[in-house]
Amino acid sequence: MGTKSIAVLTSGGDAPGMNAAIRAVARAGISSGMRVIGVRRGYNGLISGDVFEMNLRSVSDIIHRGGTTLFTARSPEFNTPAGVQKAADTCRSLGIDGVVVIGGDGSFRGARDLTGAGIPCVGLPGTIDNDIQCSEYTIGFDTAMNTAMDMVDKLRDTAQSHDRCSVVEVMGRRCGDIALQTGIAVGATAILVPEVPFDLEKDVIKRMQFTQLTGKKHFIIVVAEGIGGVDDLARQIQEKTGIESRATVLGHVQRGGSPTLRDRVVASEMGFRAVELLQAGEGNRVVAMKEGRIVDYDITEALNMKKTISKKLYDIALKISI
């Protein structure tokens, strides 16, 4: 028997495109004759029953908005077996047969626990960091990179005007994807990511000095958040090269803003697939992208996968950023 009533929630950090995914889930579910329940503030809302029934117009005019209209929150209570049981009981009392969870790895672990408590869940990868092991792309990644690129382009104007070095920290804790692709897009002299060990002297100072000899006067260094210490890095660069260096942390500005076309389309495709899975009575799945196609995996299998940075892209960056 197919699912008759599904809920949708967003959990963990917000990401542009989450609203497009919510909209796709609501519209696809309702079009298929299901009841769709919106859950506010992530798993907290599922525990407390902070929910509302959605109709086709509940998701009007949200596809172009950043953030999440369902709001999001971390839920310490849901991390306990009692919290999971409470959420499952709420689902049963509301007649919810399945839940679509839009978020990151932590959200997927929660979805696995809730499935284990008898409520089938499907996870959608929503995080700007692109750090979901099973998916080559996550909702929000493209928008975040475009925001970072725009900001660095603006910083470059000042670096150029003053013959300075601009050291820019972009988001991505354990994952250097934003830094790598933004660094290539802005012509950074050096890109520092957590996945590749670096030597300040060889990988930053020497590269700057080499490009100086070829006539370069201003520099951009892009650093992933997981590396950190950009103020100290800028100070060391200035001491060793004599080039005035300034550090900038772009921060949460990268998490907001109107989603790009790519994020809207991918979020819509993924949201639609999640409804198809729940309609077929399938739970404990994560929707992902593989080789440009939308696929799905068992959650446990997905959480055990390993993801690495593109070595080829990193090598390209090294060769063309001199």
Side-chain angles (χ1 to χ4, degrees), residues 239-312:
E239 280 173 9
K240 290 173 186 285
T241 64
I243 298 162
E244 191 181 353
S245 302
R246 298 286 171 87
T248 305
V249 177
L250 295 187
H252 281 90
V253 67
Q254 295 160 92
R255 285 241 294 252
S258 181
T260 57
L261 180 143
R262 184 169 198 213
D263 276 327
R264 297 182 199 195
V265 173
V266 172
S268 300
E269 287 183 286
M270 287 182 166
F272 192 86
R273 171 64 71 94
V275 172
E276 285 183 326
L277 288 166
L278 288 177
Q279 200 173 12
E282 290 193 49
N284 211 48
R285 307 296 292 175
V286 173
V287 176
M289 184 183 280
K290 185 185 182 186
E291 293 166 3
R293 292 179 307 110
I294 304 300
V295 297
D296 55 272
Y297 299 104
D298 174 84
I299 289 181
T300 303
E301 183 193 342
L303 287 169
N304 287 332
M305 288 181 182
K306 289 281 173 280
K307 183 173 187 289
T308 56
I309 205 154
S310 167
K311 187 74 176 70
K312 184 173 183 190

